[in-house]
Every structure is written in C-alpha cells, then in structure tokens.
Amino acid sequence: MSRSAPLGAPSEARDVLAITPFRRLWISLSLSSLGDWLSLLALMSLAAIFTADGSQLVRYLAVSGVVVIKLAPSILLSPLAGAVADRLDRKWTMVVGDVLRGLLYVSIPLVGLLLSGFALEWLLIASLLAEVVALFWAPAKDATVPNLVPRKLLEQANRLGLLTTYGTAPVAALLFAALASASNVLGAFLPSVASPEADAALYLNGLTFLIAAIVVAGLPIPKHQPSKDSESETRDSGILRSVWTGRRHAGGTPPVRGLVPGMLGALAAGGAVIGVGRVHVESLGAGNAGFGVVFAAVFAGMALGVLAGPRILKQFSRRRLFGLSIALAGLALLFAGAVADMVLTAVLTALLGVGAGIAWVTGLTMLGQEVEDEYRGRGFAFLHGAARIVLLVATALAPLVAGLVGDHAVPLGALTYDLRGGGVVLMASGLLVVVLALVCYRQMNRRDDPEAGPGLLPELFAALRGVAIREEEDEESRPSGAFIVVEGGEGAGKSTQVRELTVWLRDQGFEVIGTRQPGATKLGMRLRGLLLDRENSHITPRAEVLLYAADKADHVEQEILPALRRGAVVISDRYVDSLLAYQGAGRDLSSDDIRGISDWATQGLRPDLTVLLDVRPEDGLSRLGGPADRIEGESAEFHDRVRRGFLELARADPERYLVLDAREPREKITREIQRRVRSLLPDPVPSGSEAVTGMIPVIRND
C-alpha cells in the first residue's frame, strides 16, 4: 500500500494545481459539483412548494421522489451508460453534458411560470433527464484526469476531485439559503421575484454549468480509441454487480462484521433525514433558508468530524471510536426529531454530521486494514454500491412512513406537544442507530482487541488529554532521562549539531550520551556496513526496513534505555523518523506498516524533542563532495521525497519538532537548538556535587 497524504494536503495540492490544464478542469468540476448540490436543494424545495395544497403524504413523496430520481439512474443504468460513454469523445461529452444539464435545470422554473399545472411533472422529468446526462458525463470526467497529470500525482488529483465533490455541498447550502433570503427581501418590492416558480437558485445553477462547459471546451484533452477489453469491462461492471460479487469479501473478521452494518446503518439514517428534512424544517417555521442552513450544518459537521475527530482522539481505540461516533450521530438525530426549535435543530444536525464523519473516516481506515489486499478493491466496491442502494431505499421509505404517521397534537397536561410525522421518522431512525451502535460496539470491542484499554471512560478521558491510558498507568515506571533526536537529509549537519549539543550539555553538568543510528552497537556496526555498502544494491526495500529495525531494537535495548533509566540525556543522530522518511516516503512503502514495526522494535520509545535540519537535497549533497554510500547515491527524486517526508512528519506533530533551516550559519542553528533543549530540562547539578542520576525528567509530547 502506497503512502497516503491527507485529503488535499497543501504541498501536494499545489503541485497538482500548478498543472494548468488540470487546474482548469478542477475549476470546471467545482462548478459542476456546486451546480449538482444547488439543484438538489432547489428541486427538493420546489417539490415541497408545488405540493403545498396536497396531503402531507403527497408532499413527503414528492420531495423524496427528487432524491430517488437522482440516485436510481446511477444504480440501474451505469453499466450501459459507461459502455456508451467510452465510445464518445470525452471532451465534447463533458461540454455537451454540462450545457444540457444547465438548460434542463433552467427550464424547470420557466415551465413553472408558464405552465403551473405541469410544474411538478416537468420537475421530475427534467431531474431524471439531467441524471441520465450525468451518467455519460461522469465516466468522461474520470477518464480525462489521468491524461492531464503525471502518474505520480494521480492519487492526489483524485483526492482533490473527491474534495471538490463533497466540499462544495456546504457552500451550495449556504448559497441556497442566501438566495432564499434575498428572494424574500426582494419579493417585498417585486412580487414576481418571491414566486417559488422563479427560483433564483436554478437560474444560478444553469449559469454554473454553462461556465463549466466553456472552461472544458478550452482544455487540451486528447482524443482516445476505446479498446474492446475496456468496453467489455465497463459493460460488465455496475453497482448492482459489485454489490452481488463483493458481499462475501466484506465480512471476514469480527471487526469487519461490525464495521459494515454500522456504516450502512448510519447512511440509512442519513437517507431518512434527506427524505423528510425539507418538509420537517418547514413545519418548524423555516422555509428554503432554514433548509439550506440545516443542510450546510450536516456537511460542515461531517467535515469537522473527518478532519478533527481522529486527531483529537488519536490515542483512543479506533474500534471504540467507531461505535461511539455512530452513537453520537444516533442521539443527535433522536433529539433533532424531538425538538421544535429551528436553531437547536441546526446544532443537533451538525452533531449528527460530526458523528457520521468520524464513523466513516474511521470505518474506511479500519476496513482497509482488516480486509486482505487481494480482496480490498471488491470489498470497497461492495461498500460503496451497498451505500447507494441503502440510501435510495431509506430516502424512498422514510417519507412514506412520515406521511402515514401524519401530524398530531398530543396533550401533556396544560401543554400540547406537536408530534410531526417527520419528527417521528427522525426519532425512530436515531433510536435504531443507537441500538446499532451498541451492537457494533459489542461486536468490535472484544477482549482480544489490542488497542482497547482496560475501561471505556478512563481511556476516553485520557485520550481527551492527549495521552494513552497505558502511558498514564506506567508513569512511575518510565525512565527518568531525556531523549533528543537530530534528523535531516544528507549533508544537513546532524553530526555537527549532535557534537555541539553534547559538549554544551556536559558543560552544564548533565550526563550526556551522544549516539547514532545505525551503528551504535556491535550488531549495529555490522548492519551499518551492510546497509550503506554501495555494492549491496540488491537489498529490497522491505528487507532494508527490517535491517534498520533490527539496529534500532538492539540500540534501544542496549544503549538508549539503560542511559535514560539512570537519568542521562541521550542525543541520537537519526531515529525512527529517518526510517519513515527514507523507507516510507523515499521507497514509497506504507508509513503505517513501518511505524508499527518501529514501535515494536523500539518498545514504543519516542523522543522528547526531534530537531529537523531541513536542507534541499542538492545543497546537502554538494557539501559531501560526492556520494560515499548507497543511500547518498540515490536519485535526486528519492532525496526530494525524503525531504517532503520529513516535513510532513513535522507538520503532523509540531509540538515535538523543532524545524530549522540548515542553510543558516552553524552558530545560529546551535543557539536555536540550545534554547529549545534548555526549556525541556531542569536546572543541572553543578560539577563536583552529588550525582545527577535521576534528576532529568522525561517530558513526553507524544
């Protein structure tokens, strides 16, 4: 498994967006995605408005019909559309597709103004036609991206596409709410503007698709010749087929058997929200603007959950986190259906999004780890296909149930509680999600879970403070020394700064051990010779990782831990981060796998401070006067990846890192290191007084 940067990581995103054709395509995709979300909100609102004089069941079914029409074509017709789309010119398929969708969406308010009796029927017909057009547009878009970016940047380009798809949802929701509010204000002066048939969101939607088509028309997209193999593959693929063939690969281990139902159950609850949300919000006294705010709150909460949840609780068991996040989503949904306040509903839907976001990012990560590599693709295909089907079924059934329940006034003594059909569906969905969360938690949180601590609440409180539960329990048994590591690329000046820092601390009265990796022990010296010998170019990357891990295991056990236990300061030239940068980023191996091996080899010992001397590879290698060993002789691209790997590690854990520019004068770098190190240590014992053993506390920032 290759290295994976965060979604939209700034450094790599800039590299991809620096490619002009892809940047223009990305702008076009952003506009098209914005138009898709804007059209969904506008069509759901118009469906509710056009059926305002009908029964509650008709209103619910009209709104859910819009969503069903949006999802059903991709489930039923995607294999056929994919096969046909592969025969068409990709560039003009995208251009014509955007133009047609824009015209169809603009036609909906126009038909509503001219033929009000046919407004709802044309809304559904135009929505269906627009989704059929999108089936041809999407394969052309997916096939175009690899032609515009180098292979090594394709993964990040796909991440940016995913960010565009979902990142525009809250923007569209807030824009929809703003347009609805503006229409209400202008409607006081121009009554025709306030008419729902003249929905400004759909006119703006048509404009976004038109601009997207113009942008794509100017792109240098090469023509292609479809192969018979690719056509047959596309013809045989499809959501229904992927669900049928992939179901047996997504339920192997007990954790996976808890993951998949939990993720699909949470999505079913989301479908219920979509199906009844528009009419339910209106029953709370809010119209289009309120619906836009609630929709934006859900997606903003999801973004917060995806980005912040796993980081805030990074010391918490992933299995427990998955169950708790689904429970949070269920409870938020339960209370959102029970309350009759619009502001509180928006807050609760944001919490629903947070729980769903944490659950999905945690679930996808664990699914990738639990399912064997050869079955992983089919497992994910099953999950995504099943997700669409579950979403479609839930969206279709929820409004039917809400309409059948209806609205009732329940007397509670002197008060009356308005029990709404939409609220009942939301409460029932929330309750089912909570029950499902408990089942998943019991299925995944087994006694043999290596991550789980001794108790849920103690581990949760410890994780909120940023420490692991085992770390708290072992506080008294920790070594009492301080561990400092100096890292950097070739020629960064690490050895010089280790020597300067060692001399300075000894002059301050500390016991200091200066060391290096590899080569600090007898075994390490032999491994160093083996690893750095230019004649040993046959060493494979995985074998290289294991040899470096063997050196670290021997070094930690024989040199570092004994010194720390007697209170010494240990300063090491390289440690685990070099393995992550050189073999993870440089060799393009899985950083998670390397981290796991390293943690086991080093007994989980982490530095109190890591000094990173950042240097451009060409500058560092020029200081050496030519490659002296196997690593120094690697390509410039290899050393560039290593440098980016170091910087990504530093960005991920800024509290533990001190990043310095290695081009600065040596004396200035030394002073900066001394200033930071001095803040970590207590006042030393003067030379000639009692022993310093046990005086230097370990300061853990991990």
Side-chain angles (χ1 to χ4, degrees), residues 575-599:
Y575 191 55
V576 171
D577 288 351
S578 279
L579 193 57
L580 292 169
Y582 278 84
Q583 279 63 48
R587 305 292 189 206
D588 203 24
L589 297 176
S590 168
S591 295
D592 290 338
D593 290 344
I594 294 175
R595 197 184 301 276
I597 293 170
S598 300
D599 284 347

Side-chain angles (χ1 to χ4, degrees), residues 71-84 128 131-132 135-136 237-240:
L71 292 173
S74 64
I75 295 175
L76 301 175
L77 303 176
S78 55
L80 176 62
V84 175
L128 178 62
E131 291 308 315
V132 172
L135 291 180
F136 295 89
S237 64
I239 292 176
L240 293 176

Side-chain angles (χ1 to χ4, degrees), residues 35 73 77 88 93 104 117 176 202 244 287 297 406 417 426-427 449 551 569 591 596 615:
L77 303 176
L88 303 176
T93 298
L104 285 168
F176 178 75
L202 287 174
W244 179 256
Y417 178 74
L426 296 180
M427 286 188 287
D449 181 3
D551 168 77
V569 180
S591 295
V615 62

